[in-house]
Amino acid sequence: MAVSCESDHLDRFALVCLIILLPKLSFSTRALRPITGFSVDLIQRDSPFSHTYNPTISNFDRLHDSFRRSFSRLGRYKSTLLSQKTLIQSRIIPSEGEYLMNVSIGTPQVELLGIADTGSDLIWTQCKPCMQCFKQIPTLFDPKKSSTYHEIPCDAKPCGELYQSTCGSEHDTCEYSYSYGDRSFTKGNLAAETLIIGSASLPKVLFGCGHENGGTFDESGSGLIGLGGGSLSLVSQLGDSIGGKFSYCLVPLSAESYVTSKISFGSAGVVSGSRAVSTPLAQNRDPETFYYLTLEAISVGKKRLVYESTNYPSPKAGVATNEGNIIIDSGTTLTFLPAGFYDDLVLALEEAIDAEKVSDPRGVLSLCFRESSSISIPTITAHFTGADVVLQPLNTFAKLEDDLFCFTMVSSNDLAIFGNLAQMNFLVGYDLQGGTVSFKPTDCSSQTI
C-alpha cells in the first residue's frame, strides 16, 4: 500500500497515522496484513463515560454549547477550503457534540482520548516534556518510557509532506507545527509508535508528539484521531487491511445516556441489509480530507424542495456541476444548508407545523416552536443520489427547554455540512474502495448492532 503524507490544518486535534518500516532508520511504506476487524467505543464528551462529565450542567446548556461549536467548526472548514483553492471496533466518547475515541499508544501502553473526526487527517497527542501544554485528564504520554517510540529524521519523506515542518535544532529530527482557525496550535516531533485500537495492535504508526499545544482545547482529551480521506488519516493508513471500510452508530444525545456509540472497521464496518441505502462519494474534490455527497432534494412530508447550492468549492475538471455539494461530518453537531434553500425549507416547516413560532432565547437557532400540546413534526427526508434518508424528529429538532423545540438545521453562506445530529440512530458506513456512504436506520443504543 503506497502511502504519502498530506497536511491537515483544519481541526483542533489529530493522531497522524502512517504505516512505515524502520530498518536502519530507512523509511518506506508497507501494507498491513488483512485484519479481521476491531471496534472501539465512541464516548460522548458530556456523557457519564467522559472524564469531564458534570451532572450539574443541564442538557439544554450542553446542547447550546455544542451548537455554538458547530459555527466555530464551520469557520475552520471555510478557512481550509479557501486556503486550498476484518472486525475492528472502538469506543467513541461525544465531547460536547464531539466524540472521543479511546485508544492506547506505546510500550507499555498509555491510554489516549482523541476526538474521532471525519473532517481531519493528522493524528497527534500531547507528549512529555511539555514546554506548553493544555490541561488534560488522561495520562500524558512520555516517549522516553516507551520501547517502541522512534523519532523521524528530517530527510525522511513523511517529514517533507507535512503541512509545515522544520529540522530540529539539537537533533536531526522532524518537527511539525500546525495552527488552526480558532488560534489553537500544536508543535512537536514526528515519530513512529505502536497504536492499539480495541483488540488491534498497529506497529510503527506515524503520529505527532506535541510538546507545545494551546488554544481552545479542554481537559477531556489529549489529541485527535483523523478519519478523513487524506493519506495521513487512520482509515487511509489501515487501507487494504480493512478493505477501506468503517462505520459508526451515534447514540442520540441525552441527559442520562449510559450507552456509548460505536465505531467499527473492516468486516464489522460493512453496512448492508434491506433497510440500508447507499449514495456515491463524490470524486476529485479538494481537499481529499472531506467526504462529499450529492444532495438532490429535501422533502417536508410530501413537499419536495429541489436542492441547489453554489456554496461549495468549484469541482475539478470533469466533475458534474452539482456533484459533491454537501460534506458529511461526524464532528459538526448542526446541519448547515445554503441560505436561499434554507429559507424555503423553513417556510415549508412553518406551513406543516401547527404550533406557536418563537425565537430561540439564546439566539443560536432560527426556527423554534413553543409546545402547548403535543407537536406533530412532519417527516423530513434527505434525498441523496440513490439514497433517500428518512430523518426522525430527533435528527431534525432539539428540545431546548421543557416546552421549546428548535430546528437543528441552520443557514450558511459558505458551505453545506450534514452534521451528526442528522446521523444519530443511523448506522453510517463508509466504503472508500467502493466509493459509497451507506445509511441504515438503527437503534444505536442497542448492544447488538
mmCIF file of all heavy atoms in Angstrom, residues 155-171:
data_model
loop_
_atom_site.group_PDB
_atom_site.id
_atom_site.type_symbol
_atom_site.label_atom_id
_atom_site.label_comp_id
_atom_site.label_asym_id
_atom_site.label_seq_id
_atom_site.Cartn_x
_atom_site.Cartn_y
_atom_site.Cartn_z
ATOM 1 N N ASP A 155 15.262 13.957 6.833
ATOM 2 C CA ASP A 155 15.322 13.609 5.418
ATOM 3 C C ASP A 155 14.336 12.509 5.029
ATOM 4 O O ASP A 155 14.302 12.078 3.879
ATOM 5 C CB ASP A 155 16.738 13.194 5.022
ATOM 6 C CG ASP A 155 17.258 12.002 5.835
ATOM 7 O OD1 ASP A 155 16.514 11.522 6.714
ATOM 8 O OD2 ASP A 155 18.396 11.573 5.578
ATOM 9 N N ALA A 156 13.523 12.043 5.975
ATOM 10 C CA ALA A 156 12.505 11.040 5.648
ATOM 11 C C ALA A 156 11.377 11.697 4.847
ATOM 12 O O ALA A 156 11.013 12.849 5.091
ATOM 13 C CB ALA A 156 11.959 10.413 6.914
ATOM 14 N N LYS A 157 10.837 10.960 3.911
ATOM 15 C CA LYS A 157 9.796 11.510 3.029
ATOM 16 C C LYS A 157 8.601 12.070 3.784
ATOM 17 O O LYS A 157 8.091 13.141 3.432
ATOM 18 C CB LYS A 157 9.337 10.422 2.045
ATOM 19 C CG LYS A 157 8.320 10.923 1.031
ATOM 20 C CD LYS A 157 7.913 9.826 0.063
ATOM 21 C CE LYS A 157 6.869 10.347 -0.923
ATOM 22 N NZ LYS A 157 6.440 9.281 -1.870
ATOM 23 N N PRO A 158 8.098 11.395 4.830
ATOM 24 C CA PRO A 158 6.930 11.936 5.541
ATOM 25 C C PRO A 158 7.147 13.341 6.084
ATOM 26 O O PRO A 158 6.216 14.151 6.130
ATOM 27 C CB PRO A 158 6.722 10.939 6.687
ATOM 28 C CG PRO A 158 7.307 9.665 6.186
ATOM 29 C CD PRO A 158 8.493 10.075 5.372
ATOM 30 N N CYS A 159 8.375 13.669 6.470
ATOM 31 C CA CYS A 159 8.646 14.999 7.021
ATOM 32 C C CYS A 159 8.390 16.084 5.978
ATOM 33 O O CYS A 159 7.824 17.130 6.287
ATOM 34 C CB CYS A 159 10.086 15.077 7.524
ATOM 35 S SG CYS A 159 10.458 16.589 8.433
ATOM 36 N N GLY A 160 8.787 15.831 4.739
ATOM 37 C CA GLY A 160 8.602 16.815 3.685
ATOM 38 C C GLY A 160 7.166 16.982 3.252
ATOM 39 O O GLY A 160 6.835 17.932 2.536
ATOM 40 N N GLU A 161 6.306 16.049 3.660
ATOM 41 C CA GLU A 161 4.913 16.088 3.220
ATOM 42 C C GLU A 161 3.973 16.662 4.276
ATOM 43 O O GLU A 161 2.767 16.721 4.066
ATOM 44 C CB GLU A 161 4.467 14.681 2.820
ATOM 45 C CG GLU A 161 5.218 14.180 1.591
ATOM 46 C CD GLU A 161 4.938 12.722 1.285
ATOM 47 O OE1 GLU A 161 4.642 11.967 2.236
ATOM 48 O OE2 GLU A 161 5.032 12.340 0.115
ATOM 49 N N LEU A 162 4.502 17.069 5.408
ATOM 50 C CA LEU A 162 3.692 17.725 6.430
ATOM 51 C C LEU A 162 3.300 19.116 5.963
ATOM 52 O O LEU A 162 3.958 19.728 5.113
ATOM 53 C CB LEU A 162 4.463 17.825 7.741
ATOM 54 C CG LEU A 162 4.636 16.536 8.535
ATOM 55 C CD1 LEU A 162 5.679 16.727 9.627
ATOM 56 C CD2 LEU A 162 3.305 16.101 9.147
ATOM 57 N N TYR A 163 2.249 19.633 6.550
ATOM 58 C CA TYR A 163 1.785 20.993 6.219
ATOM 59 C C TYR A 163 2.885 22.012 6.502
ATOM 60 O O TYR A 163 3.172 22.885 5.705
ATOM 61 C CB TYR A 163 0.523 21.306 7.025
ATOM 62 C CG TYR A 163 0.088 22.750 6.949
ATOM 63 C CD1 TYR A 163 -0.225 23.339 5.731
ATOM 64 C CD2 TYR A 163 -0.032 23.526 8.109
ATOM 65 C CE1 TYR A 163 -0.619 24.664 5.654
ATOM 66 C CE2 TYR A 163 -0.441 24.840 8.052
ATOM 67 C CZ TYR A 163 -0.726 25.406 6.815
ATOM 68 O OH TYR A 163 -1.125 26.721 6.761
ATOM 69 N N GLN A 164 3.532 21.891 7.667
ATOM 70 C CA GLN A 164 4.645 22.764 7.998
ATOM 71 C C GLN A 164 5.622 21.982 8.861
ATOM 72 O O GLN A 164 5.248 21.453 9.906
ATOM 73 C CB GLN A 164 4.171 24.014 8.748
ATOM 74 C CG GLN A 164 5.284 25.006 9.043
ATOM 75 C CD GLN A 164 4.767 26.281 9.683
ATOM 76 O OE1 GLN A 164 3.570 26.512 9.725
ATOM 77 N NE2 GLN A 164 5.668 27.100 10.179
ATOM 78 N N SER A 165 6.870 21.896 8.433
ATOM 79 C CA SER A 165 7.857 21.134 9.190
ATOM 80 C C SER A 165 9.212 21.819 9.134
ATOM 81 O O SER A 165 9.515 22.572 8.205
ATOM 82 C CB SER A 165 7.973 19.703 8.652
ATOM 83 O OG SER A 165 8.442 19.721 7.309
ATOM 84 N N THR A 166 10.043 21.558 10.156
ATOM 85 C CA THR A 166 11.405 22.078 10.222
ATOM 86 C C THR A 166 12.309 20.974 10.744
ATOM 87 O O THR A 166 11.835 19.939 11.225
ATOM 88 C CB THR A 166 11.502 23.303 11.153
ATOM 89 O OG1 THR A 166 11.054 22.925 12.462
ATOM 90 C CG2 THR A 166 10.654 24.453 10.634
ATOM 91 N N CYS A 167 13.601 21.207 10.690
ATOM 92 C CA CYS A 167 14.562 20.245 11.220
ATOM 93 C C CYS A 167 14.964 20.682 12.621
ATOM 94 O O CYS A 167 15.251 21.863 12.859
ATOM 95 C CB CYS A 167 15.793 20.188 10.318
ATOM 96 S SG CYS A 167 16.837 18.746 10.615
ATOM 97 N N GLY A 168 14.943 19.734 13.555
ATOM 98 C CA GLY A 168 15.248 20.044 14.942
ATOM 99 C C GLY A 168 16.619 20.666 15.105
ATOM 100 O O GLY A 168 17.579 20.272 14.438
ATOM 101 N N SER A 169 16.733 21.664 16.003
ATOM 102 C CA SER A 169 17.995 22.379 16.193
ATOM 103 C C SER A 169 19.035 21.529 16.914
ATOM 104 O O SER A 169 20.238 21.664 16.671
ATOM 105 C CB SER A 169 17.753 23.671 16.983
ATOM 106 O OG SER A 169 17.112 23.377 18.226
ATOM 107 N N GLU A 170 18.610 20.629 17.793
ATOM 108 C CA GLU A 170 19.547 19.814 18.565
ATOM 109 C C GLU A 170 19.783 18.444 17.947
ATOM 110 O O GLU A 170 20.867 17.887 18.055
ATOM 111 C CB GLU A 170 19.032 19.652 20.000
ATOM 112 C CG GLU A 170 18.932 20.969 20.767
ATOM 113 C CD GLU A 170 18.498 20.762 22.200
ATOM 114 O OE1 GLU A 170 18.350 19.591 22.611
ATOM 115 O OE2 GLU A 170 18.282 21.755 22.904
ATOM 116 N N HIS A 171 18.784 17.891 17.336
ATOM 117 C CA HIS A 171 18.905 16.565 16.730
ATOM 118 C C HIS A 171 18.342 16.611 15.317
ATOM 119 O O HIS A 171 17.573 17.494 14.961
ATOM 120 C CB HIS A 171 18.141 15.525 17.562
ATOM 121 C CG HIS A 171 18.549 15.490 18.998
ATOM 122 N ND1 HIS A 171 19.717 14.931 19.426
ATOM 123 C CD2 HIS A 171 17.917 15.964 20.102
ATOM 124 C CE1 HIS A 171 19.808 15.045 20.730
ATOM 125 N NE2 HIS A 171 18.728 15.676 21.169
#
